[in-house]
Amino acid sequence: RDVGVAHFRIADGLHELLTVDELAAVLKVSPSWVYEHTRTRRRAARLPYIKIGKYIRFDPQAVRSFLARQSRSTDSPIR
């Protein structure tokens, strides 16, 4: 069953989800940056989230995968 943007199956077991403030602290960004990146129109740049009623939560594993996809190779020249 799809919930929000993230694919989260209850059968996998519940594990701790992060709030906007907790994710912002982990990433060392502002909460507004986190909110902005859940709303971006570019799906590839959108943080994966789970919507529970009016609340937004983040699966740490999904965020790690997102960050891995977003990381850039150190072999590419800086412009």
Side-chain angles (χ1 to χ4, degrees), residues 1-8 38 43 46-53 55-57:
R1 179 175 166 210
D2 290 344
V3 180
V5 175
H7 299 288
F8 186 76
T38 62
R43 187 173 199 126
R46 190 180 308 152
L47 275 168
Y49 65 92
I50 299 165
K51 186 105 181 194
I52 304 171
Y55 302 102
I56 295 175
R57 296 293 183 259

Side-chain angles (χ1 to χ4, degrees), residues 9 11 30 41 52 74:
R9 292 178 297 194
S30 69
R41 291 181 189 253
I52 304 171
T74 56

Side-chain angles (χ1 to χ4, degrees), residues 3-75:
V3 180
V5 175
H7 299 288
F8 186 76
R9 292 178 297 194
I10 299 298
D12 292 338
L14 289 175
H15 49 84
E16 188 154 346
L17 300 174
L18 300 173
T19 65
V20 169
D21 289 336
E22 290 168 339
L23 182 61
V26 168
L27 298 178
K28 297 183 169 80
V29 298
S30 69
S32 63
W33 186 94
V34 173
Y35 280 118
E36 181 180 325
H37 283 79
T38 62
R39 292 187 297 258
T40 183
R41 291 181 189 253
R42 290 182 28 240
R43 187 173 199 126
R46 190 180 308 152
L47 275 168
Y49 65 92
I50 299 165
K51 186 105 181 194
I52 304 171
K54 66 179 184 176
Y55 302 102
I56 295 175
R57 296 293 183 259
F58 300 90
D59 177 359
Q61 291 176 313
V63 172
R64 276 190 210 96
S65 295
F66 168 80
L67 293 173
R69 289 190 308 272
Q70 297 299 313
S71 68
R72 300 194 178 169
S73 170
T74 56
D75 296 335

